[in-house]
């Protein structure tokens, strides 16, 4: 008999390490990692409506309207009805959480709590490989050769919204929007919070939590 499909969410402010921890979870447990920010960035060049609307918000570090991101994410989830998945960056508002409730029942929500002071430094040191979404940090997780992706050798770029003005706006907006979402999942008993500035330190706890729900493909050290 097929095991129940896992529906998980990772919440956390910009720069808290959602993308980093989701990549590890996805590799270790064979889940689909679905990043709302990544979908939006991919839609920018496509000439569609979502891309055109999103561009104005992303550049300024603002949240895109609920109906825009909800349409994008529900369409992506619809394509993955038969897969285990892990959402990164969605839902970010109560309206989005309610829309998600309409299509599934979440099993697990991971919330990353990182001091706000740490976040600004991290974001300015972040470089990404646009085609794959792989994330590097010049201090914590640098590429093997400076400025290029480890797997493809293609150039790394800095995200527009990692500029200092946009970062400050993103951090301000996050708190107000996220609070009711965190409260909602806490009240359902599915919220698991992890505090600390090091992904490597919280990883054993995250790994053991996920292992209690789904069999791992890789050992804790292999990620
Ligand atoms: P999105 O792409 O989701 O960005 P974000 O939430 O702002 O988060 P980030 O991707 O910046 O950070 P992260 O937590 O993934 O951290 P990462 O692992 O990269 O969204 C972008 C924009 O899209 C939003 O601003 C909004 O406009 C829009 N949007 C997206 N979803 C939306 C929604 N649902 N509703 C409305 N609008 C939406 O790590 C950060 C850096 O830190 C990296 O350099 C990493 O290497 C490094 N790092 C990670 N862990 C550590 C560590 N332990 N120690 C040191 N460095 C570390
Ligand atoms: Mg991210």
């Amino acid at each position: 008999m097929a095991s129940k499909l896992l529906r998980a969410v990772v919440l956390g402010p910009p720069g808290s390490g959602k993308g980093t921890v989701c990549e590890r979870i996805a590799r270790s447990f064979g889940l689909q990692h679905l990043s709302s920010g990544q979908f939006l960035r991919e839609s920018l060049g496509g000439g569609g409506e979502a891309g055109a609307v999103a561009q104005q918000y992303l550049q300024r570090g603002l949240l895109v309207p609920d109906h825009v991101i909800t349409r994008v994410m529900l369409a992506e989830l619809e394509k993955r009805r038969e897969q285990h998945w892990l959402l990164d960056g969605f839902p970010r508002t109560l309206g989005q959480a309610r829309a998600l409730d309409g299509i599934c029942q979440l099993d697990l929500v991971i919330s990353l709590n990182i001091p706000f002071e740490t976040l600004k430094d991290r974001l300015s040191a972040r470089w990404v490989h646009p085609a794959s979404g792989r994330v590097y940090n010049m201090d914590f997780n640098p590429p093997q050769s400076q400025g290029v992706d480890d797997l493809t050798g293609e150039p790394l770029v800095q995200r527009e919204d990692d500029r200092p003005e946009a970062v400050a706006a993103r951090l301000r907006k996050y708190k107000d929007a996220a609070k009711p979402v965190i409260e909602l999942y806490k009240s359902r008993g599915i919220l698991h919070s992890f505090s600390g500035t090091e992904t490597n330190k919280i990883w054993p706890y995250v790994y053991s939590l996920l292992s209690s729900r789904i069999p791992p493909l890789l050992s804790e050290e292999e990620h």
Side-chain angles (χ1 to χ4, degrees):
M1 195 182 88
S3 62
K4 181 181 178 298
L5 292 168
L6 191 77
R7 268 68 186 102
V9 166
V10 174
L11 303 174
S16 57
K18 296 185 296 294
T20 305
V21 89
C22 284
E23 268 182 45
R24 284 194 191 185
I25 295 174
R27 268 200 307 276
S28 298
F29 294 91
L31 303 177
Q32 291 287 313
H33 168 195
L34 306 175
S35 158
S36 54
Q38 187 72 18
F39 286 129
L40 288 173
R41 286 186 289 278
E42 284 166 12
S43 74
L44 296 183
E49 191 212 337
V53 176
Q55 177 129 36
Q56 302 160 21
Y57 290 86
L58 263 84
Q59 276 172 350
R60 287 183 285 155
L62 302 175
L63 292 180
V64 307
D66 279 354
H67 72 275
V68 175
I69 187 69
T70 299
R71 197 183 311 148
V72 170
M73 294 308 290
L74 297 192
E76 295 295 337
L77 294 176
E78 180 64 29
K79 294 181 208 161
R80 296 168 176 86
R81 287 168 76 151
E82 304 304 323
Q83 297 167 357
H84 300 287
W85 49 246
L86 174 66
L87 296 177
D88 160 4
F90 182 89
R92 256 191 174 81
T93 66
L94 202 49
Q96 294 174 19
R98 298 241 155 87
L100 187 58
D101 277 346
I103 62 150
C104 69
Q105 196 177 1
L106 292 177
D107 301 298
L108 187 63
V109 178
I110 291 172
S111 169
L112 302 176
N113 303 324
I114 308 288
F116 268 48
E117 311 81 68
T118 311
L119 301 174
K120 274 191 190 176
D121 298 344
R122 280 190 183 180
L123 292 175
S124 57
R126 172 167 62 187
W127 289 76
V128 294
H129 175 239
S132 67
R134 268 186 291 282
V135 174
Y136 298 88
N137 183 287
M138 290 310 152
D139 306 323
F140 152 80
N141 171 33
Q144 283 155 16
S145 309
Q146 201 185 343
V148 297
D149 179 49
D150 289 348
L151 296 190
T152 63
E154 291 167 355
L156 301 177
V157 300
Q158 194 155 32
R159 275 167 47 177
E160 278 273 301
D161 59 357
D162 283 345
R163 287 174 295 113
E165 321 82 78
V167 165
R170 283 160 71 200
L171 292 175
R172 274 197 304 275
K173 293 278 172 227
Y174 172 78
K175 248 188 182 166
D176 295 344
K179 210 171 164 202
V181 179
I182 290 173
E183 289 304 321
L184 175 73
Y185 294 140
K186 198 191 249 175
S187 72
R188 286 187 192 162
I190 56 171
L191 186 81
H192 301 262
S193 295
F194 297 91
S195 298
T197 56
E198 301 271 338
T199 306
N200 288 339
K201 290 206 175 124
I202 64 166
W203 176 242
Y205 303 100
V206 173
Y207 184 90
S208 113
L209 172 66
L210 266 294
S211 304
S212 69
R213 310 297 170 93
I214 179 171
L217 303 177
L218 301 177
S219 73
E220 185 188 316
E221 295 77 24
E222 276 175 311
H223 65 77

